[in-house]
């Protein structure tokens, strides 16, 4: 059974701090790893990391895949209150199904 | 494009009642999914479909049924609602034609309470 474990489960920081969120996975046939951001409503896609591209960046957010350690990190620099959300990590398994971690609840205080 | 739409947004059911959660996508995606999200528990897959007429169980299918008669629609049926089905339900879709079908597009969710 595929497994995704995220840590920490919750995190409180001040605006301007840098945060690192962790995701480790166990999957039979690794294809990719995805990060989503979930504010009050539905998850929205952030990044997809595959074996052929181990780092992605978008503004203050970046993500790295470590295939040896079966893990990924999501970094957010110079955090803002608008970064407050649940960050979800997911890996696709058999039959095109995604297995999600429980998420990290990030709270950025002004 | 509206993307993925879900109705209703909120619903309160009594124990034993039935209801159908509607999901429609206008992106011509092959794949559609139903998830439930309980507090602090991430997303759990209930059912999914790889095309019209084809559905399969996910991780937590008990108490639910689905059908996929068209590419656009993927309704989720709850029979005999139980308090354990109190949750937020998300529908999602994806397509091989996108850069990766693993990038799923989510609907806004339905918050269901069973009392």
């Amino acid at each position: 059974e595929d497994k995704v474990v995220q840590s920490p489960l919750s995190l409180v920081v001040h605006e301007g701090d840098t945060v690192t969120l962790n995701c480790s996975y166990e999957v039979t046939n690794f294809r990719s790893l995805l990060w989503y951001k979930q504010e009050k409503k539905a998850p929205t896609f952030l990044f997809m990391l595959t074996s052929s591209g181990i780092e992605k960046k978008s503004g203050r957010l970046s993500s790295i895949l470590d295939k040896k350690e079966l893990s990924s990190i999501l970094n957010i620099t110079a955090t803002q209150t608008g970064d407050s959300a649940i960050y979800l990590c997911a890996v696709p398994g058999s039959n095109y199904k995604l297995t999600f971690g429980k998420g990290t609840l990030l709270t950025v205080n002004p | 494009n509206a993307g993925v739409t879900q109705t209703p947004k909120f619903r309160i059911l009594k124990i034993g009642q039935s209801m159908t959660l509607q999901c429609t996508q206008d992106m011509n995606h092959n794949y559609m999914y139903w998830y439930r999200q309980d507090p602090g528990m991430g997303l759990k897959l209930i059912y999914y479909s790889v095309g019209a007429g084809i559905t399969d169980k996910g991780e937590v299918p008990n108490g639910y049924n689905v059908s996929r008669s068209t590419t656009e629609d993927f309704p989720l049926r709850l029979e005999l609602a139980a308090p354990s089905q109190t949750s937020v339900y998300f529908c999602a879709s994806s397509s091989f034609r996108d850069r990766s079908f693993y990038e799923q597009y989510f609907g806004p969710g339905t918050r269901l309470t069973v009392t």
Side-chain angles (χ1 to χ4, degrees), chain B residues 4 7 41-42 49 63 96 104 113:
Chain B
V4 181
T7 55
M41 293 301 291
S49 168
F96 273 112
Q104 296 187 3
T113 303

PDB file of all heavy atoms in Angstrom, chain B residues 4 7 41-42 49 63 96 104 113:
ATOM      1  N   VAL B   4     -14.379  22.394 -12.600  1.00  0.00           N
ATOM      2  CA  VAL B   4     -15.131  21.358 -11.894  1.00  0.00           C
ATOM      3  C   VAL B   4     -16.136  22.042 -10.975  1.00  0.00           C
ATOM      4  O   VAL B   4     -15.746  22.872 -10.157  1.00  0.00           O
ATOM      5  CB  VAL B   4     -14.201  20.453 -11.062  1.00  0.00           C
ATOM      6  CG1 VAL B   4     -15.015  19.376 -10.352  1.00  0.00           C
ATOM      7  CG2 VAL B   4     -13.121  19.830 -11.938  1.00  0.00           C
ATOM      8  N   THR B   7     -22.385  20.519  -6.596  1.00  0.00           N
ATOM      9  CA  THR B   7     -23.565  20.988  -5.865  1.00  0.00           C
ATOM     10  C   THR B   7     -24.074  19.849  -4.990  1.00  0.00           C
ATOM     11  O   THR B   7     -23.928  18.669  -5.359  1.00  0.00           O
ATOM     12  CB  THR B   7     -24.699  21.409  -6.819  1.00  0.00           C
ATOM     13  OG1 THR B   7     -25.006  20.320  -7.714  1.00  0.00           O
ATOM     14  CG2 THR B   7     -24.330  22.637  -7.626  1.00  0.00           C
ATOM     15  N   MET B  41      -7.004  14.920   8.399  1.00  0.00           N
ATOM     16  CA  MET B  41      -6.821  13.568   7.841  1.00  0.00           C
ATOM     17  C   MET B  41      -6.445  13.573   6.363  1.00  0.00           C
ATOM     18  O   MET B  41      -6.453  12.542   5.735  1.00  0.00           O
ATOM     19  CB  MET B  41      -8.111  12.754   8.018  1.00  0.00           C
ATOM     20  CG  MET B  41      -8.434  12.438   9.449  1.00  0.00           C
ATOM     21  SD  MET B  41      -7.137  11.494  10.258  1.00  0.00           S
ATOM     22  CE  MET B  41      -7.261   9.935   9.411  1.00  0.00           C
ATOM     23  N   GLY B  42      -6.149  14.692   5.770  1.00  0.00           N
ATOM     24  CA  GLY B  42      -5.814  14.685   4.352  1.00  0.00           C
ATOM     25  C   GLY B  42      -7.023  14.287   3.519  1.00  0.00           C
ATOM     26  O   GLY B  42      -8.167  14.371   3.957  1.00  0.00           O
ATOM     27  N   SER B  49     -13.078   7.177 -11.647  1.00  0.00           N
ATOM     28  CA  SER B  49     -13.538   6.697 -12.941  1.00  0.00           C
ATOM     29  C   SER B  49     -12.504   7.084 -13.987  1.00  0.00           C
ATOM     30  O   SER B  49     -12.009   8.212 -13.995  1.00  0.00           O
ATOM     31  CB  SER B  49     -14.881   7.340 -13.278  1.00  0.00           C
ATOM     32  OG  SER B  49     -15.218   7.121 -14.634  1.00  0.00           O
ATOM     33  N   GLY B  63     -20.580   2.583   1.826  1.00  0.00           N
ATOM     34  CA  GLY B  63     -21.634   3.558   2.091  1.00  0.00           C
ATOM     35  C   GLY B  63     -21.888   4.504   0.940  1.00  0.00           C
ATOM     36  O   GLY B  63     -22.747   5.380   1.038  1.00  0.00           O
ATOM     37  N   PHE B  96      -5.130  12.841 -19.577  1.00  0.00           N
ATOM     38  CA  PHE B  96      -3.846  12.512 -20.183  1.00  0.00           C
ATOM     39  C   PHE B  96      -3.350  13.631 -21.080  1.00  0.00           C
ATOM     40  O   PHE B  96      -2.174  13.750 -21.322  1.00  0.00           O
ATOM     41  CB  PHE B  96      -3.962  11.241 -21.035  1.00  0.00           C
ATOM     42  CG  PHE B  96      -3.749   9.993 -20.261  1.00  0.00           C
ATOM     43  CD1 PHE B  96      -4.781   9.117 -20.041  1.00  0.00           C
ATOM     44  CD2 PHE B  96      -2.496   9.693 -19.766  1.00  0.00           C
ATOM     45  CE1 PHE B  96      -4.573   7.950 -19.337  1.00  0.00           C
ATOM     46  CE2 PHE B  96      -2.283   8.522 -19.059  1.00  0.00           C
ATOM     47  CZ  PHE B  96      -3.322   7.647 -18.838  1.00  0.00           C
ATOM     48  N   GLN B 104      -4.460  17.064 -10.762  1.00  0.00           N
ATOM     49  CA  GLN B 104      -5.906  16.990 -10.658  1.00  0.00           C
ATOM     50  C   GLN B 104      -6.497  18.368 -10.366  1.00  0.00           C
ATOM     51  O   GLN B 104      -5.933  19.151  -9.620  1.00  0.00           O
ATOM     52  CB  GLN B 104      -6.304  16.004  -9.557  1.00  0.00           C
ATOM     53  CG  GLN B 104      -5.880  14.589  -9.881  1.00  0.00           C
ATOM     54  CD  GLN B 104      -6.389  13.562  -8.898  1.00  0.00           C
ATOM     55  OE1 GLN B 104      -7.121  13.865  -7.968  1.00  0.00           O
ATOM     56  NE2 GLN B 104      -5.995  12.320  -9.106  1.00  0.00           N
ATOM     57  N   THR B 113     -23.124  17.341   6.681  1.00  0.00           N
ATOM     58  CA  THR B 113     -23.266  16.992   8.093  1.00  0.00           C
ATOM     59  C   THR B 113     -24.415  16.013   8.226  1.00  0.00           C
ATOM     60  O   THR B 113     -25.510  16.259   7.707  1.00  0.00           O
ATOM     61  CB  THR B 113     -23.556  18.238   8.947  1.00  0.00           C
ATOM     62  OG1 THR B 113     -22.509  19.184   8.746  1.00  0.00           O
ATOM     63  CG2 THR B 113     -23.636  17.887  10.419  1.00  0.00           C
TER      64      THR B 113
END
